[in-house]
Amino acid sequence: MIVLGIETSCDETAAAIVKDGREILANVIYSQVKTHTPYGGVVPELASREHLLKIRPIVEQAFADAGLGLDDIDGIAATSGPGLIGSLLVGLTYAKALAFSKRKPLAAVNHIEGHIYSVSFEHPAAEFPALALVVSGGHTNLFWVESETGDFRHLKYKLVGKTRDDAAGEAYDKVAKLLGLTYPGGPIIDRLAKTGNRDAFRFTIPKISDRALDFSFSGIKTAVLQMVKENEKLKEDPLRLDLCASFQEAVVNMLWNTTLKAAERLRPHSIMLSGGVAANSRLREVFAERAAGAGLKFYYPKLIFTTDNAAMIAAAGTAKLMRGETVGIDVNADPNLRLAVSDRILPNKRWKS
Ligand code: KG4
Ligand code: ZN
């Protein structure tokens, strides 16, 4: 089955063509980062306008790269939420029009589910049940993922934990701004932290009650704000390098501590990391080391599939299309679309071990 994936939930206009949910025939990503950098973050109105300009050439580029035409695909998958409403509408409406005019089945994909599928390209035989940590600019969620089929063809999700305030990527971007770095700051902090001393500054890891499996990053961010207010020199190298490394260590420890706590209670077969922040070199390193230490398999996507892309949307969409989970042309974008929200594994429930 050959599927066209379309992703426009935030500031990337992306199209991909994927065969059988595995083989990537084309993967085109246009990043709007240059448009938004002067404003220090994504400007929704500018994002939707640029998606409008780019959606057609990007989809055409994907077909050209794959050496295929519209008649060669078996279905279309587009992100329907969560994200910026104006941005989502561009990709979803384009997909609906293509599906309607060419009589192709259409799947609406949750962006977060897409991120979870980004792991499937490198690790099609990943073991379930898994704990999937999705860390991006907009989300920090931990899911319990079971498979009906033992593989990626039919996954079911329960929410285990989420951030109580900022998303991990948001914390990175805000701290970067405080330190005078450009948007998006996550990759820059990652680079600067490599030469800094991660023990230079101590952050108190926010206390989340023992049974809760949530995350919190705003305390760490506010601590950086206070430190910088008290000592302007922290905005300059070499102190800035140490601050980046120490901040990053606090974020990575927050992410690992909650994930480990959940793993000890739920006993998954593996841990899956995805989302833009999964590109972080220290996060990948710490999770790989500690998961191995805890006897857990650990899977993460190739760098190109960590940040927003349409290949992951095509992969998640393929699973849906194969199960006949199609949508009609009346499907709407939902900026607050949730994955498994009504199905949260409550932290105060008694766990079977
Ligand atoms: O998944 P994504 O492309 O978009 C959302 O769905 O939000 O994630 C973008 C986020 C940004 O906050 C960016 O700063 C962060 O991922 N990010 C990183 C790294 N690369 C991207 N954060 C830390 N380290 C990185 N190497
Ligand atoms: Zn994303």
Side-chain angles (χ1 to χ4, degrees):
M1 176 182 269
I2 299 181
V3 172
L4 165 70
I6 293 180
E7 152 65 38
T8 62
S9 67
C10 190
D11 60 343
E12 268 92 19
T13 317
I17 298 177
V18 175
K19 188 175 174 192
D20 298 330
R22 294 269 305 272
E23 196 185 329
I24 294 163
L25 307 180
N27 184 35
V28 188
I29 305 170
Y30 170 77
S31 166
Q32 303 178 354
V33 69
K34 278 206 192 91
T35 304
H36 303 290
T37 297
Y39 303 95
V42 177
V43 184
E45 181 62 24
L46 295 181
S48 40
R49 282 168 193 239
E50 201 156 5
H51 283 306
L52 267 179
L53 292 175
K54 293 291 176 195
I55 186 72
R56 190 172 162 188
I58 293 300
V59 170
E60 283 173 357
Q61 182 67 49
F63 277 111
D65 288 359
L68 297 175
L70 259 173
D71 291 328
D72 300 318
I73 59 168
D74 301 298
I76 300 172
T79 307
S80 63
L84 301 169
I85 185 65
S87 294
L88 286 165
L89 279 171
V90 176
L92 185 62
T93 309
Y94 195 83
K96 284 203 276 189
L98 280 184
F100 181 68
S101 62
K102 286 284 171 187
R103 296 178 195 283
K104 302 285 181 189
L106 177 65
V109 174
N110 182 307
H111 181 80
I112 298 176
E113 183 173 21
H115 274 303
I116 292 172
Y117 271 81
S118 68
V119 171
S120 70
F121 299 115
E122 293 278 282
H123 306 287
E127 287 174 33
F128 296 94
L131 265 177
L133 178 62
V134 184
V135 268
S136 72
H139 317 277
T140 299
N141 291 322
L142 187 61
F143 295 101
W144 175 250
V145 188
E146 281 174 6
S147 170
E148 293 275 299
T149 46
D151 55 20
F152 279 94
R153 280 176 299 166
H154 196 170
L155 302 184
K156 292 200 157 165
Y157 311 92
K158 286 194 171 105
L159 186 64
V160 174
K162 63 179 169 44
T163 182
R164 294 193 170 176
D165 36 65
D166 294 346
E170 194 182 348
Y172 264 97
D173 296 338
K174 286 178 176 168
V175 162
K177 211 168 173 179
L178 286 174
L179 299 178
L181 306 168
T182 55
Y183 175 85
I188 308 175
I189 292 188
D190 189 358
R191 184 163 43 79
L192 296 181
K194 283 191 192 351
T195 45
N197 172 8
R198 44 184 185 253
D199 299 319
F201 302 97
R202 287 246 164 261
F203 289 90
T204 332
I205 300 280
K207 282 240 175 322
I208 304 259
S209 86
D210 248 19
R211 298 204 72 77
L213 296 166
D214 285 334
F215 307 93
S216 168
F217 301 99
S218 74
I220 304 172
K221 177 196 66 188
T222 310
V224 174
L225 176 68
Q226 280 307 330
M227 289 157 85
V228 171
K229 265 192 189 161
E230 282 162 24
N231 181 4
E232 284 278 322
K233 286 249 178 307
L234 291 175
K235 286 188 181 175
E236 293 159 28
D237 296 346
L239 281 182
R240 184 166 71 171
L241 305 174
D242 291 344
L243 186 53
C244 285
S246 305
F247 159 77
Q248 176 159 282
E249 205 60 13
V251 171
V252 168
N253 281 327
M254 167 100 253
L255 291 169
W256 172 256
N257 291 348
T258 302
T259 306
L260 178 65
K261 220 165 26 160
E264 283 170 346
R265 287 199 210 157
L266 291 163
R267 309 241 167 252
H269 287 179
S270 67
I271 291 177
M272 294 178 179
L273 183 65
S274 63
V277 183
N280 187 267
S281 56
R282 182 68 185 148
L283 182 61
R284 290 157 91 101
E285 180 182 66
V286 164
F287 266 59
E289 268 172 31
R290 296 185 193 167
L296 286 158
K297 295 245 164 59
F298 171 56
Y299 308 111
Y300 55 89
K302 257 191 182 165
L303 270 184
I304 178 77
F305 299 125
T306 54
T307 44
D308 291 348
N309 64 87
M312 68 186 195
I313 303 302
T318 301
K320 283 186 190 298
L321 291 168
M322 300 255 244
R323 299 197 300 267
E325 282 175 35
T326 57
V327 291
I329 153 155
D330 55 338
V331 65
N332 211 349
D334 179 355
N336 303 312
L337 188 66
R338 310 290 266 274
L339 188 64
V341 75
S342 58
D343 221 3
R344 178 159 168 142
I345 297 187
L346 291 170
N348 56 1
K349 253 191 192 166
R350 289 200 166 271
W351 301 89
K352 281 188 224 148
S353 51

